[in-house]
Amino acid sequence: MTIRVLVTGAGGPAGVAVIRSLLRRPDVEVLAADMDGWASGLYLVSAERRRLVPAGASAGFVEALAAIARDDRLDAIVPTVDVELLSLAGSRSRVPATIVAASDEALATSLDKWMLVQACEGAAPVPRTRLLDADGVAADWDFPVIVKPRRGAGSRGVARIDDRAALEALELDDGIVVQQFLPGDEYSVDVLMGQEGRAIAAVPRLRARVDSGVAIAGRTVHDDELEATAVACARAAGIVGVANVQLRRDGEGVAALLEINPRFSGAMPLTIASGVDMPSIALDLALGIPTPAAVPFREIANVRHLEDVFLDPSEILEVDGA
């Protein structure tokens, strides 16, 4: 039986990694979607399997996915963009295909940094965290501290506050958290969780070189503490499937939680090359196909470069108004 799968966010590194992984499976037919007709991942599949969709935050995104699922008789959809996950949360019943993503409850917990710290506290080391309200500002902080939006990905809206005067000058906002500054090295751990908190794999990665927020060189590392901490955090957040757990060492060298991105990471090709094909296993897990109890990985390094796909101009999927 052929499994028909749509991968969204085809213009991003995570989308490209998932598309390439699933294209290697003879039992999977891969379709690719993006809001931009110039998205590179669209052109990894044949012309009849390319789809344009509205922006993930738009009112029409879920209905557009539902229509594609019906018309293309999809078995599964793999969303690879945070904002798409937010749109699908609470709406996946409207889409007649399996959504390969964490549950709505796990998404709500993971995508809210305040809820996430509360969920993980006691299960794993977490930085001291308070809301940016009067009580949070008045707390006895060791400076510097970090302020960041409760919701949002990457470093957007994140600031370092060096003293109490600067903290007290901020406008109170319970949509922002104040957090203990963790001065140590940062790690990214790709985690694949099965049902009932079972860890199938946890692959820590060091980002050796970063350009504009994207890792362009890195390596996988065996580290029992990083693996155990990442798994504990993913389990506490209720993750089933793939998540990217960000950790940083505190002043005493203990790895503590920064955040969880409940999706495929942009550096997924390194995890796949290390021996853990997370997109393929996650698809099977979501569809109820048996998966390995555990998958080991090997230490491996990578460097990344741009790659060209040459096309006839007539192949580019133009967006209205573009």
Side-chain angles (χ1 to χ4, degrees):
M1 182 186 75
T2 298
I3 303 169
R4 294 175 61 83
V5 181
L6 177 74
V7 181
T8 70
V16 169
V18 174
I19 290 168
R20 283 181 162 159
S21 164
L22 298 182
L23 282 173
R24 291 192 285 269
R25 287 185 52 162
D27 61 334
V28 174
E29 182 177 337
V30 182
L31 291 77
D34 200 275
M35 60 178 286
D36 183 1
W38 290 90
S40 60
L42 292 173
Y43 304 99
L44 297 177
V45 302
S46 56
E48 69 275 8
R49 297 177 184 173
R50 302 167 189 162
R51 303 290 181 267
L52 288 177
V53 294
S58 69
F61 175 73
V62 174
E63 287 307 320
L65 277 192
I68 293 172
R70 287 190 296 269
D71 294 345
D72 289 313
R73 305 183 309 282
L74 297 179
D75 297 294
I77 297 174
V78 185
T80 67
V81 182
D82 283 334
V83 69
E84 297 175 347
L85 295 171
L86 288 169
S87 293
L88 286 166
S91 300
R92 63 181 79 200
S93 62
R94 293 157 54 189
V95 180
T98 297
I99 306 298
V100 183
S103 68
D104 289 351
E105 295 79 8
L107 291 177
T109 298
S110 300
L111 295 172
D112 184 321
K113 295 176 179 63
W114 174 240
M115 290 178 60
L116 179 62
V117 166
Q118 292 179 302
C120 294
E121 196 166 16
V126 298
R128 185 186 182 200
T129 305
R130 300 290 294 271
L131 294 176
L132 185 61
D133 56 16
D135 290 339
V137 170
D140 183 19
W141 292 104
D142 290 327
F143 289 89
V145 296
I146 298 296
V147 295
K148 61 178 72 171
R150 287 176 60 171
R151 299 173 180 86
S155 59
R156 290 185 290 275
V158 178
R160 171 174 158 158
I161 306 299
D162 289 322
D163 54 49
R164 175 157 293 282
L167 180 62
E168 292 177 349
L170 297 176
E171 182 178 354
L172 300 182
D173 184 348
D174 63 7
I176 295 176
V177 296
V178 186
Q179 197 164 73
Q180 170 192 355
F181 174 66
L182 302 176
D185 292 332
E186 184 174 338
Y187 303 89
S188 184
V189 187
D190 288 326
V191 176
L192 177 57
M193 301 295 292
Q195 299 290 342
E196 300 177 352
R198 173 175 59 92
I200 298 173
V203 184
R205 290 184 282 103
L206 291 176
R207 305 205 302 174
R209 296 289 184 274
V210 178
D211 184 5
S212 302
V214 177
I216 58 172
R219 56 171 294 189
T220 56
V221 292
H222 284 294
D223 186 305
D224 292 342
E225 180 193 11
L226 296 177
E227 293 171 42
T229 301
V231 166
C233 290
R235 182 181 292 124
I239 296 292
V240 174
V242 170
N244 177 250
V245 182
Q246 300 289 325
L247 306 174
R248 187 187 288 271
R249 296 197 185 277
D250 65 15
E252 298 179 352
V254 176
L257 173 69
L258 276 182
E259 61 184 57
I260 293 180
N261 302 304
R263 54 167 173 78
F264 295 93
S265 67
M268 183 55 60
L270 180 55
T271 291
I272 295 171
S274 77
V276 188
D277 193 343
M278 287 194 178
S280 182
I281 300 171
L283 176 64
D284 286 344
L285 183 67
L287 294 176
I289 298 170
T291 60
V295 181
F297 72 94
R298 64 189 178 100
E299 291 191 339
I300 189 171
N302 77 329
V303 294
R304 310 177 83 175
H305 60 88
L306 290 174
E307 181 178 344
D308 295 305
V309 178
F310 298 99
L311 308 161
D312 188 285
S314 64
E315 289 189 62
I316 299 296
L317 301 181
E318 295 290 354
V319 180
D320 291 342

